Amino acid sequence: MSGRAPRIFYVPNEFGGFRQVGFREPLEMLHRAGMIESLEVFSLLDAVRSGGDARAHRRELLERVAAFQPDILLMQHLVGTGLRRSHFADLQASCRSDFIYHEADPYSRHLHPLPIEAREAGRAADVVFTVGRGTFADNFRRAGSKNVRWLPSAYEPNRSVNFDRPLREDRPFEVVIVANRNRPRLRGLPDWRERIRFVELMQEHFGTRLAVYGRGWEGPTAKGPAPFEAQDEAITSGWVSANWDHFANEDSYFSNRLPISLASGSIHATTDHPGYDELFGDKAEGFLIRGTSPEALIASIDSVLENTTTDERLRRIQAGREFAAATFRQDDLMLQMLNWRRTWIDPSGARTIWAANRDASR
């Protein structure tokens, strides 16, 4: 244990009406309980995108961090903020102990390369957390990062009441896909062709037993975009949620679609990745369906639907929800970042505080 409560300065990845409640609310609870001495949050990206003088916003960040003198400076996905090497040098100098950079967006080496803000943040930070163990981590090492660690994509347990509701039994569809159709003119995210082919094959195979939520899809299965706050409702309208990942070959990678689907209450079908045997092992045989090609994944989905009763599906879904709660909660993973070098915050004490706040809000 560190012996005292830390001072934490948090720079979230948020703008417009979106807020990182999965980080903000747990941090605020810990602050109110005295497990964080002082807490300050500054949404630089939101300030820059909202207009005004971007240089003034960056200067304000530097001044506020210098005045605050945090033990922990936690920064996330700074693309679009305009921060450069000199800014990070000043931020590093103002941080007493742990400068942490969290990059939950995926980047390849050439097609979709790491942006300059992320490269410079990674070079200056004491530790970088990213969502893949292969190219994603290597991107930061090539940029000069001293310590790069894997942290999975997560779900925000306080984002939706549906994560705690009884499992849904009225499911009008067998399979649901939540994904936008991206067909770039020049460059785009990797594996976009395979995603389109997967969805089109799914539409052909399942017909109206399938619902596809997202922009750009056509036909009777297309249901239009699902707002982020309502994705859990869309996901649980089917027994199986299906996805074909961008970055299909990245070691140990999945987007937040996987934890959100499991926590919402769905069997999840997705691209197989290197590292999944280690991450999931035998525990996921019931609630996670994996495929190395669109055709193989469709065949596996079909097999599960044909060979399970409603009760068996509900048991699998409950197991997936319990696995997500034990493994992919954003508040728990946030603590892993904050405590990466020393135990600033006791995890069991933090979970007690969060549970008490959840019970009080019901």
Side-chain angles (χ1 to χ4, degrees):
M1 298 289 290
S2 68
R4 64 179 179 84
R7 299 171 60 81
I8 298 178
F9 198 108
Y10 173 42
V11 183
N13 170 27
E14 58 184 30
F15 62 91
F18 177 80
R19 288 295 177 265
Q20 291 282 0
V21 298
F23 282 81
R24 279 178 171 268
E25 291 183 3
L27 287 171
E28 289 164 1
M29 292 175 197
L30 295 176
H31 183 213
R32 290 195 298 269
M35 296 184 76
I36 294 175
E37 178 190 307
S38 298
L39 173 67
E40 188 159 345
V41 181
F42 180 57
S43 296
L44 176 62
L45 182 62
D46 186 51
V48 169
R49 290 200 176 189
S50 296
D53 187 343
R55 288 176 297 180
H57 296 316
R58 291 190 287 269
R59 186 165 58 250
E60 180 183 357
L61 170 67
L62 300 182
E63 291 171 352
R64 288 174 63 170
V65 173
F68 189 76
Q69 291 289 296
D71 296 301
I72 301 173
L73 173 60
L74 172 59
M75 306 186 81
Q76 293 178 304
H77 187 69
L78 299 168
V79 180
T81 60
L83 291 173
R84 295 296 184 263
R85 185 172 300 189
S86 62
H87 300 119
F88 289 113
D90 290 345
L91 292 168
Q92 186 181 44
S94 298
C95 182
R96 295 176 177 177
S97 183
D98 298 322
F99 179 4
I100 301 167
Y101 183 61
H102 177 219
E103 183 55 77
D105 274 34
Y107 292 97
S108 61
R109 183 168 186 180
H110 301 296
L111 186 64
H112 187 62
L114 199 64
I116 187 170
E117 292 96 337
R119 294 200 307 271
E120 296 299 341
R123 181 182 287 112
D126 295 299
V127 65
V128 174
F129 289 92
T130 189
V131 289
R133 287 191 168 113
T135 300
F136 299 175
D138 289 341
N139 287 336
F140 282 102
R141 295 187 184 104
R142 281 191 296 270
S145 298
K146 299 181 286 291
N147 193 333
V148 185
R149 302 189 178 199
W150 176 80
L151 196 78
S153 298
Y155 78 97
E156 301 163 290
N158 49 343
R159 176 72 68 175
S160 172
V161 295
N162 287 335
F163 295 143
D164 292 325
R165 284 180 178 170
L167 294 180
R168 182 176 175 178
E169 296 188 32
D170 59 316
R171 304 202 181 210
F173 305 104
E174 289 192 343
V175 190
V176 170
I177 296 173
V178 181
N180 293 324
R181 179 186 175 108
N182 296 312
R183 187 162 189 161
R185 292 181 179 178
L186 298 174
R187 297 193 306 172
L189 293 174
D191 303 300
W192 61 267
R193 292 181 179 86
E194 286 74 14
R195 171 174 285 188
I196 291 174
R197 187 164 69 89
F198 173 67
V199 174
E200 290 176 345
L201 288 172
M202 289 283 288
Q203 290 173 318
E204 179 182 336
H205 184 80
F206 287 102
T208 55
R209 295 180 293 159
L210 169 71
V212 183
Y213 292 88
R215 296 187 302 273
W217 306 107
E218 298 178 349
T221 66
K223 308 301 178 184
F228 187 78
E229 304 286 353
Q231 286 189 16
D232 52 338
E233 289 282 355
I235 288 166
T236 56
S237 65
W239 291 104
V240 175
S241 59
N243 180 56
W244 191 263
D245 283 336
H246 296 298
F247 306 91
N249 296 314
E250 176 66 15
D251 189 341
S252 303
Y253 171 67
F254 47 84
S255 72
N256 61 3
R257 182 76 56 239
L258 186 152
I260 289 173
S261 295
L262 296 180
S264 297
S266 174
I267 298 168
H268 190 60
T270 189
T271 322
D272 202 5
H273 286 255
Y276 273 18
D277 288 341
E278 177 187 351
L279 292 178
F280 298 104
D282 295 338
K283 297 177 182 178
E285 284 186 0
F287 58 79
L288 188 66
I289 305 170
R290 297 152 54 180
T292 55
S293 70
E295 291 84 357
L297 188 55
I298 291 170
S300 295
I301 294 169
D302 227 4
S303 177
V304 168
L305 292 172
E306 289 178 359
N307 295 292
T308 53
T309 64
T310 296
D311 286 344
E312 173 61 21
R313 293 174 189 177
L314 289 171
R315 283 194 293 271
R316 293 184 180 207
I317 288 169
Q318 179 61 31
R321 176 179 269 186
E322 291 171 2
F323 186 88
T327 315
F328 300 133
R329 286 175 58 105
Q330 195 165 80
D331 44 15
D332 286 342
L333 295 174
M334 177 190 69
L335 276 189
Q336 289 185 32
M337 288 195 286
L338 299 180
N339 289 339
W340 76 279
R341 180 154 47 188
R342 72 201 73 191
T343 306
W344 286 106
I345 299 169
D346 174 54
S348 61
R351 293 187 191 106
T352 298
I353 290 167
W354 295 331
N357 276 270
R358 285 197 303 275
D359 292 341
S361 65
R362 288 174 180 168

